[in-house]
Each structure stands twice: as C-alpha cells, then as structure tokens.
Amino acid sequence: MGEPSFLVHKPTAHDSAAMQVAGRAPYVDDLPEPPGLLHLAFGLSTIAHGAITGIDLAAVRAAPGVVAVYTAQDIPGTNDVSPFAGDDPMLAKNEVLFFGQPIFLVAATSARAARRAAKLGRVSYEPRPAILTIEEALARQSFIEPSQIMGHGDVEAALSNAPHRVTGRLEMGGQDHFYLEGQVALAIPGEDGTIHLHASSQHPSEVQHLVAHLLHRNSADVVVEVRRMGGGFGGKETQPALFAAAAALVAHHTGRPAKFRADRDDDMEITGKRHDFHVTYDVGFDAQGRILGLRLELASRCGWSTDLSPAINDRAMFHADNCYFLPAVEIISHRCRTNTVSNTAFRGFGGPQGMLAIERIIDHVASETGCDALAVRRANFYDTPGMDSGRRTTPYGMAVEDFVAPEIMAELEESSLYQQRVAAVEAFNAVNTVLKKGIAMTPVKFGISFTTTHLNQAGALVLVYADGSVSLNHGGTEMGQGLNIKVAQVVADVFGIPLSQIRITATRTDKVPNTSATAASSGSDLNGMAAYHAAIQIRDRLAHMLGERHGVAAELVRFTPDGVVAGETVIPFAQVTKQAYLARVQLSASGFYATPDIAYDRTAHKGRPFYYFAYGAAVSEVVIDTLTGEHRVLSADILHDAGRSLNPAIDLGQVEGAYVQGMGWLTTEELVWNEKGRLTTHAPSTYKIPTANDRPARMEMRLWQQGRAHVPTIHRSKAVGEPPFMLAISVFSALTQAVMAAAPGKGFPALNAPATPERVLAAIAELRGRHG
C-alpha cells in the first residue's frame, strides 16, 4: 500500500445514500413476499422466574388465520440460539427465566393474526424467587461466571500511603439499541431441506451455524444473506439468531416461506440491552491529583444467560484506565446473573462503562484537590512516544506505544477556546441563581480488535468481468456505517477505476464462509484488508500479463485513473480485462486477512488484546435549570483520530452519530423494570432517545489531520465506529460541574447516569443538604 492512492482518503457519499433518501433501498421487510408466506409471533412468559407446569394452546390453534403452533418439543436439533455458552433456548421448555421469554411460536397468514393468537395461550407456572437487580445478585452471589480481577502493583500499600484518599460510587443505566429497522428475518425453503435466510444481522455466519444446529442440518444447508440493516449498534450481533431460527423452523416444518418481523414493543422486551453497571472506588492521590493507587469494583447486570457478557465485562476492565497510567490498581468485575433479559453487545462493548468510571474518578479527585479537572487529567496521562518515565503499561500489561491524546487535547483546547469558555462559565454562574452552566473536556483511548483473538479474521471475494466491471463481496455487513463504500474505495483504488464500475453485493455465507461479526469497530480494518488482498492478486496477474506483452517489469505496470500504464502505452482498464479473458488469465480471487501481533491470556488478564488504539477528545458545555432539573447541551467541540481516514465524510457522520447516541445513554435513555421484572419502557412513548432537537445547537467536529495508524492498517486508517461514542462522557462531566455550581463549596455530587431531570434535582438537593 505504498503506491499513490487515488480513491481512498476522499469524502465520498454512502453507496446507498440516494436510494435511502428516495425510499428505494430495500430492507428485509421490503422484499417481495413469496406466495404462501407465513407470519410469526412468540407467546411470551408473564413472570420473571418459574417452572412451567402446563401449556394450553387450544385457543391459539383455533384462532383465525393460524396455520401452526410450535413448542420446544418441535425443534429437531439443538434448542439453543446462544453465541457460545449453550444456555439460551429458542423456546423455553421446563422453566422461564425472564419476563417476556418466548415459550411457543405461532405461524399465521398475517402478522396481526399471529400476534393476536399468541396472546390466547394459557401457560401455568410455579413461581420461583426472581433476582432482578444488581444488588440482589451481589447479595445472593448470583453470577454468570466467577468474578474477574485485573491489575498490578501493591494497591493496599499505595492507598495507605497516599497523601489523599477518597471513596465513591456511581450507577449507570443500560440502553436500548433502538435501531430504526427492528428484528426481522425471512426464511425461504429450498430443495432437499435447504434454507435461504434474509436476516437483519451483524453476524450472518453465527445465524447460519445456529439455525443449522437447531434444524439438525449441516451449515452448508443454510445460506444467510444480508444486504443492509437499518441500524444495528450491537443489537444485531447475537439477538437476530432467535428470530431467524424461528422463521427457519417454520419453513422447515411447513415447506412454506416464513417471516418474523417483531413488533417494536416485543422487540424491546425480548432483546438484550447495554449492561447497566454499579461502580465503587477507593482512590489515593497526591496534591496535584496524580493517582497513586486505585481499587475499582465493577458490577454489571448480565441478565439470565451468558450471551457475550464475559467479553463485554472484560472490555469494561480494559478501558477502566482510559488515557491514564495507574501505578497500582486492582479492578474487580462481577458479572451478575439476574432474571431479566440477557444483556448484550452495544456500541463500545463495555468500554463506555469502564471509561465513565475512571472519568468520574478523575472529576472526583479534581474536586477534592481543588485542581482544574483538565490539569488532573494531564497529570495522569500515559507517556507519549519518546518519553520513558515508566508510565506506559496498562493494567493488563500492554504497552501504550502510540499515545497521542495529549496532542489532540492541546489542539482542541486551543481551537475550542476552552480556557476562555471556562472563565465565561464561571462568570455566568456567579450572577445566575437558577440556571447553572458546566463545561468539561474529556479524552478517549479505545482499543481496536476483538479481544477474543480468533475473531480477528476476514475474507473477501473479488470478481472482475471482461468488460472491466467488478463484483465485490466480503464478510462484513452494512448497517448504515459506510463499510461497503469504504471497501469499494479500497478495491477501486487498487485497479484505478471509478466507483461506478464496482458492484457491491449482499453479504452471503455461501460466498465468504466462517465470518466474524461486523463489530468491535473492526469492519473496515478486517474486510478492507481482505478485499485489498483479493484485488491485489488479480492486479498482479494483469500486471504480469501486460509486462510480458510490452517488455516491462510487472512491478512497473501502474494502474491509474487514466488507464493502465505499461511502458509508454496507456490502456483502458476494460481493454486490459478483455485481453486477460482472451489470454485465459484468472480474473477472480478470494482474499483473507488475520490481524497480526495480538494475543491475550484471559486467565491471567495479561497480553496485547488490541492492535492499536483510537483517540479523540471532546469539549461539551451544558446548562441546567436548578428548579426543574432539565438541561441542554449548548455546544460540542470534537477532535477525533481516524488515522488517515478512508472516507472523511463517512467518518464524520459516525463521530456525530456516536456522540449524540452517547449523550442519550448518559442523559435521557432510562430503562425501567417493575417489581415483577417487566420492562415498562418498551416503546418510544416511555423510552426517550435523543432527537434532532437535542443535538447541540453548535457542534464543531473535525478529524485530526495528523492522524496515522502506527501499525500497517488498511491505508493507515483507524476504526471509527465505537470510539466517538465515549466522547459524550464530556457531557456527563459537564453536568457534574453544573450541579456542583448549584451548591458551591459543598463537595462532589452524587449524580448517577442517565442524568435525567429527576436525578439532577436529587443530586442538587443532596449536595445542598450536606453539612447542614
């Protein structure tokens, strides 16, 4: 990749943008419905925990439009849709473990008929005690796996000898993915028992394998196809398998196509969320706020089954340092099993929870010392390249070799006029009694790679036709993030052809097998490199052919937008491919890429789980109303490191969306379960995601122009899907500052996330009530 780049590093429109704006981009539910299509709905449990003592489905079967009803006994293979643990049955058999767990499956001639019939089932239970909260799980030692410990140094000695020491706690809520396109799958039976599935899934290979096992078939008998998703955010990594398996089961038994399009309320009740966390900490520090010792305890609500909770909670531990060197640290992680829906992957995959914890600690330390919060952050930074003060090793033993956060912070501090605005906020607060402002700058250091090492692989298939057009297929999935256009840019750049000659095709398990989920922000890193390797094979064959014909070395043949240059001759690419076809040169290739130089020992929690880090920083300014608790985010200044961005337009869109979504997690999106374990916030009427009106009125976003991956990523770019989400932590820090301004001199507030108006008011009241 040392050759000149013609089509990468350029702002280019999303490949589906025009179709999406015009409403012509087809999603699964838009596909023409085959004759005889059946529509599906689940019958759900109405208690959080209990033994099933009886199921009466007579009324369901007799309902208008119902064609078939299935229970766990009708599954021919393995009744499991879990990613690896084998503990997540598609249909409950003897016991229900959360409110809303699927028990039976209805197939009917319309979606309305299926949903109405599903409500007619009569299930009797023997109720059992339910564990619903983190506190209850901790008290009863209910965990999905043993608690994990990560760290280094003598923490007890560091805490005992520290000049200053403070303890604290923080609660942070979960978050619903609220993808615009809900969970949906269409199963079409084929010959000899085969199944073709159209699924809205980030992980088609996992859906393929699970459906095959459930039907007692080989994986080769199941093809999963994904053209695009209407959003995923992690909620379509493991969760789609349930709906795809249900559709496949009905297609298998009836020989008719079957579609499961979940109602939004059911979708929100059935599917997992971001893990909510409780955090406690004990931190020792000096007068400048430099942390000397830290004991950090994290406890998350994982739900009733394992799902991806071990890796998610591991990543929370990995990011509990963020940009800060911790000389003596012990991170304890409890993974709580509860009788609630199994929580799952969500943008950041545990990283935001760990990062919010350490940023809260930094703010608390700054409050205790009276130092400026930005100064305390800088005092705790890792060493930058070239420095060697011994402050480079993470709690999991990885050396931070590319620490550029100080440069980004310094540039943003200047461009955002941060210091002047801090003074302006202080002046505003001095003369306003009801409205109080806060401003904060926070950094992000986010590790890029799957921490389960074997998942860091990808494949691609590139087909060049005799007319010079190219068909591109890879194992990644498009969910609106722009993966396909980036990979197409990479391939077009290899051949020196315009993007109009690249046809992006749907991800299919019969084209690229055994793919990893499009997750961990690694989609472009993995699939872009795999596609590059495939395209390079074809280009090298073409160069060798032209070199022989024109008497030049193959390595001197150049592929440019003006044509292929061989010596003094310039040949249009379409002529080259025609010549290659006639010369019987192979014009197809599969590419493969596996991320190098990563390894992690989970037993010891030591190693190098990440190939590199992505960095960023944000300044957020907020105002709160101390009478109502309401707030506004007034402005945001963001500087993000995308390396040498493959597509700056796409990357800036990811930065903006991630920031606003993170802002929602920390301010308005509140999940509430009642005492029976039922989710009561299961619709947009009660669950408040940010709207366009919540976006800061002033939002300045830039990609860091000095950015460049220090390892050989695809064109030295960096991942951008997840890291910007944590830029919104600056909003929570700014809200904390505003609450402190409402009760000056009273100390550090007990503000939890999401910082709803009720929580802001409660934090102000508690702070004002201290010390009389």
Side-chain angles (χ1 to χ4, degrees), residues 298-433:
L298 310 173
S300 76
R301 175 162 49 178
C302 299
W304 72 285
S305 68
T306 306
D307 199 82
L308 298 175
S309 289
I312 291 166
N313 283 270
D314 285 356
R315 191 173 274 266
M317 299 170 77
F318 289 135
H319 289 85
D321 62 333
N322 194 14
C323 290
Y324 313 116
F325 175 71
L326 305 172
V329 57
E330 181 181 59
I331 306 167
I332 306 165
S333 171
H334 305 296
R335 293 97 194 269
C336 299
R337 186 189 298 276
T338 56
N339 294 114
T340 51
V341 66
S342 292
N343 285 325
T344 190
F346 199 129
R347 196 175 202 168
F349 205 76
Q353 293 95 316
M355 205 174 291
L356 181 61
I358 191 63
E359 292 300 332
R360 174 69 159 205
I361 291 167
I362 291 288
D363 285 338
H364 199 167
V365 168
S367 173
E368 290 291 315
T369 59
C371 296
D372 174 71
L374 179 56
V376 172
R377 287 183 164 88
R378 284 180 165 140
N380 285 285
F381 274 165
Y382 280 105
D383 280 347
T384 55
M387 293 178 62
D388 191 19
S389 64
R391 298 173 58 85
R392 187 169 287 179
T393 306
T394 67
Y396 45 93
M398 178 176 171
V400 181
E401 302 165 342
D402 60 342
F403 190 62
V404 296
E407 296 175 59
I408 293 173
M409 294 279 276
E411 184 174 327
L412 183 61
E413 181 184 17
E414 181 177 353
S415 65
S416 68
L417 304 176
Y418 175 74
Q419 296 298 344
Q420 295 95 311
R421 288 166 61 192
V422 169
V425 165
E426 291 175 352
F428 176 92
N429 290 337
V431 297
N432 286 274
T433 57

